[in-house]
Amino acid sequence: MKEQISTGKAPAAIGPYSQAIKCNGLVFVSGQLAIDPESGEVKGDVKEQTKTVLANLSAILEAAGTGLANVLKTTVYLDDIGDFAAMNEVYATFFTDAPPARAAFEVAKLPKNALVEIEAVAAAE
């Protein structure tokens, strides 16, 4: 049975989707932008945005009863693939031991003119 996951420690969904869904031992986290949960604003360079995105992702995983250590796969969407190294620098500080499988793409445009969006699949605890 699927369970909707929601927390006020991460930005609310900006469309008809859930922050995350927990089902059959997995947590599927929707793509997260660098939206500050309090102000609703997206700001900063790609490094700052990556940090905010992963903090939001972490808050959602925590609400689901798991954490970043249990992330199995992420997908990273970048406004500019030229920001890959800068994003990677911050990303590596969040996933220090056995980092998850990952794909990364440049996309034409992200919502709210964000520079980075990350979605994840994690094992539930």
Side-chain angles (χ1 to χ4, degrees), residues 8 12 28 44 57 63-64 67 73 75 86 95 99 102 120:
F28 299 87
L57 193 96
K73 167 82 168 64
T75 305
F95 296 106
R102 183 181 81 184

Side-chain angles (χ1 to χ4, degrees), residues 33-34 42 49 77-79 109-117:
L33 300 172
V42 174
Q49 286 195 24
Y77 304 95
L78 293 163
D79 181 64
K109 191 165 179 98
L110 290 168
K112 295 190 170 266
N113 293 315
L115 302 176
V116 60
E117 178 175 356

Side-chain angles (χ1 to χ4, degrees), residues 5 10-11 15 28 33 36 40 48 53 60 64 69 83 99 102-103 105 113 116:
I5 305 299
F28 299 87
L33 300 172
D36 180 279
E48 292 172 84
V53 165
I60 294 166
D83 287 334
R102 183 181 81 184
F105 303 95
N113 293 315
V116 60

Side-chain angles (χ1 to χ4, degrees), residues 39-121:
S39 71
E41 294 181 19
V42 174
K43 57 185 172 185
D45 64 11
V46 73
K47 286 184 178 183
E48 292 172 84
Q49 286 195 24
T50 300
K51 184 176 179 179
T52 302
V53 165
L54 290 169
N56 290 340
L57 193 96
S58 180
I60 294 166
L61 289 168
E62 183 179 308
T66 190
L68 290 174
N70 290 324
V71 173
L72 305 170
K73 167 82 168 64
T74 62
T75 305
V76 178
Y77 304 95
L78 293 163
D79 181 64
D80 179 355
I81 200 69
D83 287 334
F84 182 79
M87 176 279 301
N88 234 13
E89 188 178 319
V90 175
Y91 184 97
T93 68
F94 282 80
F95 296 106
T96 56
D97 187 41
R102 183 181 81 184
F105 303 95
E106 177 179 285
V107 295
K109 191 165 179 98
L110 290 168
K112 295 190 170 266
N113 293 315
L115 302 176
V116 60
E117 178 175 356
I118 302 174
E119 65 180 18
V121 177

Side-chain angles (χ1 to χ4, degrees), residues 5 20-23 25-29 60-61 64 66 120-125:
I5 305 299
I21 294 291
K22 189 175 183 178
C23 186
L26 295 173
V27 179
F28 299 87
V29 182
I60 294 166
L61 289 168
T66 190
V121 177
E125 289 191 348

